């Protein structure tokens, strides 16, 4: 590469490129850095111009690194690691309850269970800022995609501090009118799409359907509940998603499935004051 171009390179452009290389999509990189996806695209384009190399290929929503892009990512990895180490040193040495804490949690769970504890945390410690990333996948705590993760599956490996903070019961629900008008053998079901086919609640739903059709599928839990309210079929929902005013009734007397809730924090950051206070606020609210 041209040394003259390299000398004048904007290191912020490189940071945006590295986020894109790790996330694989503009949206994922934008979510990780907390910027607009257009900013990622603009920064990476600027880096390509300054280096005089094509670094990425756009293939629909996915981003593929070129050979030059792979090489730049390889060379930049130690720089990013050192920058993260310096940032972590600063966070660990701080004694003040301030700074941004990034939390990853499933959307429906975070809306139902995390709003109050996080608002209470902010009232008690106004110096703490919270970024909540609602996503079903397990964010990488190693790559600082999140400081804290709330999950329904316990991580199998990683240098994490993991605490069980509660459990969620899943039951079958339907509109009373649907149950009254539809014989059990003719029930149709409402479930997740293919992306969630391995989720325990979806596996259990398939078992209980016992060959009857899953006629409506959606990745959005709120849509599933709304479809059931309108008489669209039988749905499996977590207990926190069903309220007395929802218009749904429980189909059986016993929970169809129970899943544990896990609070996960990387050991390197668990003693950062702002993160420790956030962890305690969530634990106290859900335990």
């Amino acid at each position: 590469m041209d040394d003259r171009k390299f000398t004048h390179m904007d290191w912020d452009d490189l940071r945006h490129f590295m986020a894109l290389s790790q996330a694989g999509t503009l949206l994922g990189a934008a979510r990780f850095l907390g910027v607009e996806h257009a900013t990622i695209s603009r920064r990476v384009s600027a880096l390509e111009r300054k280096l005089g190399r094509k670094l990425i290929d756009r293939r629909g929503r996915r981003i593929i690194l070129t050979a030059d892009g792979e090489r730049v990512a390889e060379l930049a990895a130690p720089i990013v690691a050192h920058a993260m180490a310096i940032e972590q040193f600063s966070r660990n040495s701080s004694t003040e309850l301030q700074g941004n804490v990034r939390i990853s949690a499933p959307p429906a769970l975070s809306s139902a269970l995390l709003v109050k504890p996080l608002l209470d945390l902010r009232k008690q410690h106004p110096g703490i800022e919270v970024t909540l990333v609602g996503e079903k996948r397990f964010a990488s705590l190693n790559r600082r995609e999140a400081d804290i993760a709330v999950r329904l599956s316990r991580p199998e490996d990683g240098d994490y501090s993991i605490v069980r903070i509660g459990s969620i019961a899943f039951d079958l629900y339907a509109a009373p009118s649907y149950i009254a008008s539809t014989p059990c053998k003719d029930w149709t079901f409402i479930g997740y799409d293919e992306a969630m086919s391995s989720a325990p609640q979806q596996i259990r739903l398939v078992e209980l359907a016992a060959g009857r059709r899953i006629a409506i599928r959606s990745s959005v839990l709120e849509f599933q509940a709304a479809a059931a309210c309108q008489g669209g079929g039988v749905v499996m929902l977590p207990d926190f998603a069903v309220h007395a005013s929802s218009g749904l009734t429980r189909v059986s007397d016993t929970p169809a499935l129970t899943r544990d809730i896990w609070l996960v924090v990387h050991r390197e950051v668990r003693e950062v004051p702002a993160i420790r206070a956030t962890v305690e606020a969530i634990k106290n609210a859900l335990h």
Side-chain angles (χ1 to χ4, degrees):
M1 296 182 183
D2 188 321
D3 288 340
R4 179 179 56 81
K5 290 179 180 177
F6 190 78
T7 300
H8 293 88
M9 185 181 68
D10 188 329
W11 290 106
D12 210 29
D13 291 343
L14 182 63
R15 182 170 67 92
H16 285 73
F17 166 73
M18 289 299 291
L20 179 59
S21 71
Q22 293 175 353
T25 65
L26 289 170
L27 186 60
R31 185 184 298 119
F32 173 55
L33 293 180
V35 299
E36 296 293 329
H37 70 272
T39 302
I40 302 291
S41 182
R42 185 176 68 253
R43 287 287 191 173
V44 172
S45 295
L47 181 62
E48 289 181 319
R49 288 194 302 271
K50 289 170 185 176
L51 296 180
R53 305 292 178 94
K54 183 176 176 59
L55 302 179
I56 63 172
D57 281 328
R58 291 177 173 84
R59 301 182 183 178
R61 293 183 178 181
R62 296 295 303 174
I63 300 295
I64 307 298
L65 297 185
T66 65
D68 285 334
E70 294 278 5
R71 180 58 176 155
V72 170
E74 180 185 355
L75 292 172
I79 300 171
V80 173
H82 289 146
M84 289 177 62
I86 293 171
E87 179 184 356
Q88 195 54 55
F89 171 77
S90 174
R91 296 181 87 187
N92 287 343
S93 61
S94 173
T95 58
E96 298 182 359
L97 283 162
Q98 63 180 19
N100 187 273
V101 178
R102 193 175 181 87
I103 305 169
S104 169
L109 186 150
S110 60
S111 297
L113 303 182
L114 297 185
V115 173
K116 187 178 187 308
L118 293 180
L119 291 180
D120 289 344
L121 172 74
R122 284 275 302 120
K123 290 177 182 177
Q124 186 175 2
H125 305 294
I128 296 178
E129 300 173 355
V130 176
T131 298
L132 184 64
V133 182
E135 54 189 358
K136 299 181 181 68
R137 71 183 183 87
F138 190 84
S140 173
L141 302 186
N142 289 325
R143 294 201 304 267
R144 286 295 314 284
E145 292 178 354
D147 298 306
I148 300 168
V150 180
R151 285 293 177 264
L152 299 182
S153 297
R154 193 182 194 282
E156 296 297 328
D157 51 33
D159 189 18
Y160 302 134
S161 172
I162 305 171
V163 180
R164 179 186 175 279
I165 56 174
S167 63
I168 297 173
F170 289 79
D171 286 295
L172 293 179
Y173 293 89
S177 59
Y178 182 84
I179 298 298
S181 64
T182 310
C184 179
K185 65 181 180 61
D186 295 331
W187 286 356
T188 59
F189 292 81
I190 302 167
Y192 282 104
D193 59 10
E194 294 77 6
M196 288 284 286
S197 60
S198 61
Q201 59 266 38
Q202 181 68 8
I203 293 173
R204 182 60 177 149
L205 178 66
V206 172
E207 291 174 352
L208 294 172
R212 290 168 292 184
R213 285 196 306 154
I214 300 178
I216 300 175
R217 298 175 184 267
S218 173
S219 62
V220 181
L221 192 68
E222 292 81 1
F223 176 86
Q224 294 181 33
C229 285
Q230 295 296 318
V234 179
V235 66
M236 180 174 288
L237 296 173
D239 52 9
F240 64 72
V242 182
H243 307 286
S245 61
S246 67
L248 292 173
T249 185
R250 185 179 282 108
V251 171
S252 62
D253 295 330
T254 58
L257 176 73
T258 300
R259 297 191 64 182
D260 291 329
I261 308 174
W262 301 95
L263 186 65
V264 187
V265 188
H266 199 286
R267 292 186 187 278
E268 288 187 357
V269 302
R270 63 178 178 173
E271 294 304 323
V272 173
I275 294 176
R276 186 172 65 244
T278 305
V279 166
E280 290 303 313
I282 296 173
K283 283 171 58 178
N284 292 338
L286 301 185
H287 219 297

